[in-house]
Amino acid sequence: MIKYFKNFEQTFSVNKAALIVGFFTLASRLAGLVRDRLFASKFGAGDILDSYYAAFRVPDFVFNLLILGTLSIAFIPVFSELLILDRQKANRTASTILNCTLLLMCAVCFGLFIFVEPLTKALVPGFSGPKLIDTIALTRIFLLSPIIFTLSNVFTSMLNAQKKFLIVGLAPVLYNIGIIFGLLALYPRYGIIGLSYGVIIGALLHLGIQIPQAIALGFRWQPILDFKDIAFKKMSRLFVPKIFGLDNSQISLLIGSVVGSLLASGSIAILNLANNLQAVPLGIFALSISVATFPALSENFARNDNRGFLATLSKSLAQILFFIIPVSVSILLLRAHIVRLVYGAGEFSWEDTILTFKTLGIFAISLFSQSLTPLLGRAFYARRNTIIPVIINSFTMLINGALAYFLGKAYGVVGIAAGFSIASIINVILLFLALHNFLHKSMPKEDLHAFDLGIFSQIAKIAASSLGAGLAIYGALYAIEPFVNTRTALGLLIQAGLAGAVGAIIYLFTASSLHLRQAREMLKLIKNLFEK
């Protein structure tokens, strides 16, 4: 399969790239669900999982703040341009970036290591005794992961800029395998610290698999820090503002740890488990298409191809919504089945299930906005503008923080999720309006008008088709219920599987009858598969 995808990505197209990224994102998310099921069944939503997830917050916050979604946004547009002009210069700049970010992250993590105890106490004020001690111990070891992932992210950016997505897609799968190894093999021997060893092993695998392909593409590491490099200065101008545009989901999880530590035991675990479930369609459809589209958007801008830029953006927007809107409807209707099937084993109780599927339902309402945000942000970044999305993101981040805190205290975990969803919807509306205004200054009015008509026409058709699919799923659930035992996992799987299949069929045929190109292409693909 890997050999097939290697041949497949030899000739680039956004569709091919999205398929590769989507396929391996699916593999990674499935591995993640296996990981979460093993954790949930082993520990339930209780003190151990609370400590485990809370210990990620400081390392993840730092990595997300300084590197993830920041480095690649600054790196790929400039590196892509350098590759066209001078490949040797591009690799020299890449060495400077790698060395600089590594030194920066080592310094930050060393400082955090020294002050990890007061930081952890501030992050989880409701923890005490062994629960607090475990969280501090795990956080200390997890602080190695941002250093490893910083190196890995530089290689990821280099490979993505050169339109190589296969190995990058495999890396998260190996990361999850490392974590699972920690749970199954190291936890029985070393206790809760064994879980942290698994995380570090997974991070090393994530890095290690990418290095050989980067070398094969011509990268040679150089021990240099050339701060006078013009390309480095360009990246810095894009990088620094983006630091202040931290992903709202990270703020929500951070606030969730603070508020959740004051709530019942297991609240932090439930928030993370529900978030991990909604992350599956986000990764498969939204992030895969956004990641695959970004190099193409950057290249369109570098070549001053405005019509190509709009065409690429329009196609990607429609593709994301074509998948994510019906998936959101399905999750809302099948959320109890999903949670029980994925997590409902061992120590994970029915009370845990109820709270998790309520939280998942709130997250699902904003899936469409969470899905479009990465693409709209990358549309700005491809045109060398990080200021506008950072300002918008900072504003909605404050809204997210305030809502998550007050709603979380009033309604628990569900309130934290509600605060995030409301802020996410506000964020995508502001991003779209700002992008439209930004493009209006540099593109012909008639081209933007055609772009608007195309997008809103497709959204209306997708929404109508999704409504039909939702009604079909709802009816099928009740029609199937008398014939299966929904108290068993098999019965739930049959009921949810058949209802979901009915909804998917209705959606595809309705969308096809409304002349949605994506639906017709999928039906054609299915027909060809059966004919073979």
Side-chain angles (χ1 to χ4, degrees):
M1 187 176 292
I2 292 171
K3 185 178 179 181
Y4 167 77
F5 276 115
K6 273 188 175 180
N7 293 329
F8 189 65
E9 74 172 355
Q10 292 304 312
T11 55
F12 175 80
S13 75
V14 172
N15 283 342
K16 280 186 176 182
L19 179 61
I20 294 170
V21 176
F23 177 85
F24 285 102
T25 301
L26 173 61
S28 172
R29 300 301 185 188
L30 289 176
L33 290 180
V34 172
R35 173 202 68 202
D36 288 345
R37 179 178 176 85
L38 290 171
F39 272 87
S41 62
K42 177 74 174 176
F43 304 116
D47 286 352
I48 290 180
L49 272 193
D50 276 355
S51 293
Y52 177 77
Y53 286 122
F56 276 104
R57 295 286 66 84
V58 171
D60 280 1
F61 181 84
V62 171
F63 178 66
N64 280 276
L65 180 69
L66 297 178
I67 303 298
L68 185 65
T70 301
L71 178 63
S72 62
I73 295 305
F75 186 94
I76 290 177
V78 179
F79 189 71
S80 298
E81 190 175 340
L82 281 176
L83 286 172
I84 296 171
L85 301 173
D86 186 344
R87 181 170 286 271
Q88 187 176 352
K89 181 72 169 58
N91 286 324
R92 180 179 172 83
T93 301
S95 287
T96 293
I97 293 295
L98 189 149
N99 299 334
C100 182
T101 53
L102 177 61
L103 290 173
L104 172 65
M105 188 56 73
C106 285
V108 170
C109 287
F110 179 73
L112 291 172
F113 185 87
I114 295 173
F115 297 103
V116 70
E117 188 169 335
L119 279 171
T120 305
K121 288 179 178 178
L123 180 66
V124 285
F127 285 10
S128 60
K131 191 173 183 179
L132 177 61
I133 293 170
D134 286 343
T135 307
I136 293 170
L138 289 172
T139 302
R140 283 198 173 104
I141 299 173
F142 286 168
L143 280 170
L144 288 172
S145 64
I147 298 172
I148 300 168
F149 278 124
T150 294
L151 291 172
S152 188
N153 198 263
V154 175
F155 286 108
T156 295
S157 299
M158 280 193 279
L159 296 178
N160 281 346
Q162 297 174 81
K163 302 181 177 70
K164 299 297 180 184
F165 300 96
L166 170 61
I167 299 301
V168 172
L170 276 172
V173 179
L174 295 181
Y175 174 59
N176 281 315
I177 289 173
I179 294 175
I180 292 170
F181 175 77
L183 173 64
L184 298 180
L186 302 180
Y187 175 75
R189 184 171 181 178
Y190 301 104
I192 195 169
I193 296 300
L195 301 178
S196 64
Y197 296 156
V199 171
I200 302 306
I201 290 170
L204 289 170
L205 291 172
H206 191 285
L207 167 64
I209 194 174
Q210 297 184 76
I211 295 175
Q213 187 171 34
I215 293 172
L217 290 171
F219 175 71
R220 296 295 181 269
W221 176 76
Q222 300 175 50
I224 57 171
L225 286 170
D226 187 2
F227 297 129
K228 294 181 180 179
D229 180 9
I230 294 174
F232 176 81
K233 290 179 179 178
K234 282 184 181 179
M235 290 185 193
S236 299
R237 283 196 294 269
L238 294 172
F239 177 86
V240 174
K242 186 64 178 71
I243 290 176
F244 301 98
L246 187 66
D247 186 0
N248 276 326
S249 64
Q250 291 301 316
I251 295 297
S252 183
L253 291 173
L254 197 66
I255 295 169
S257 295
V258 176
V259 180
S261 70
L262 301 170
L263 303 175
S265 175
S267 296
I268 295 174
I270 286 167
L271 180 69
N272 280 270
L273 290 171
N275 183 64
N276 289 347
L277 280 175
Q278 70 140 6
V280 174
L282 278 177
I284 295 170
F285 302 118
L287 292 179
S288 62
I289 293 173
S290 297
V291 168
T293 303
F294 188 40
L297 289 173
S298 298
E299 193 170 302
N300 288 146
F301 179 72
R303 298 183 186 280
N304 200 29
D305 182 6
N306 285 330
R307 287 192 174 179
F309 186 93
L310 280 180
T312 302
L313 180 61
S314 176
K315 186 177 181 181
S316 298
L317 275 167
Q319 282 181 324
I320 290 173
L321 293 175
F322 176 79
F323 291 108
I324 214 70
I325 291 178
V327 166
S328 302
V329 172
S330 300
I331 290 175
L332 277 170
L333 293 171
L334 301 173
R335 60 193 185 279
H337 296 73
I338 293 168
V339 172
R340 197 60 188 161
L341 287 168
V342 176
Y343 299 140
E347 298 298 316
F348 201 76
S349 68
W350 177 242
E351 289 74 20
D352 297 336
T353 300
I354 293 173
L355 210 49
T356 306
F357 78 63
K358 285 182 178 179
T359 307
L360 176 61
I362 298 296
F363 276 137
I365 294 171
S366 64
L367 264 178
F368 80 94
S369 56
Q370 295 180 63
S371 299
L372 292 182
T373 297
L375 179 63
L376 295 177
R378 281 168 171 80
F380 278 106
Y381 307 142
R383 301 182 75 84
R384 313 289 196 274
N385 187 308
T386 57
I387 300 297
I388 293 175
V390 164
I391 292 172
I392 292 172
N393 198 61
S394 299
F395 173 69
T396 53
M397 191 167 62
L398 293 173
I399 295 174
N400 181 14
L403 289 175
Y405 180 76
F406 289 109
L407 293 177
K409 292 195 76 172
Y411 302 104
V413 180
V414 176
I416 298 172
F420 169 74
S421 287
I422 294 168
S424 177
I425 293 170
I426 293 171
N427 190 59
V428 80
I429 292 171
L430 294 178
L431 267 178
F432 184 82
L433 293 175
L435 178 62
H436 197 279
N437 184 59
F438 180 63
L439 294 177
H440 187 266
K441 297 175 183 177
S442 59
M443 293 188 179
K445 194 172 182 179
E446 56 272 16
D447 288 349
L448 270 180
H449 184 63
F451 170 80
D452 292 340
L453 283 177
I455 287 297
F456 289 113
S457 172
Q458 291 188 81
I459 289 175
K461 293 176 182 179
I462 292 168
S465 303
S466 299
L467 178 61
L471 292 172
I473 291 172
Y474 189 78
L477 283 174
Y478 284 97
I480 297 165
E481 187 175 15
F483 303 100
V484 295
N485 183 2
T486 54
R487 294 183 178 181
T488 66
L490 180 60
L492 285 173
L493 180 62
I494 292 171
Q495 185 188 30
L498 289 177
V502 170
I505 292 169
I506 295 298
Y507 176 71
L508 283 177
F509 280 102
T510 305
S512 178
S513 67
L514 292 174
H515 306 291
L516 274 170
R517 176 183 53 80
Q518 297 89 345
R520 293 188 169 183
E521 287 178 357
M522 286 197 69
L523 287 172
K524 184 179 178 180
L525 178 63
I526 294 168
K527 182 182 178 182
N528 290 338
L529 288 173
F530 278 105
E531 285 178 352
K532 290 179 181 180

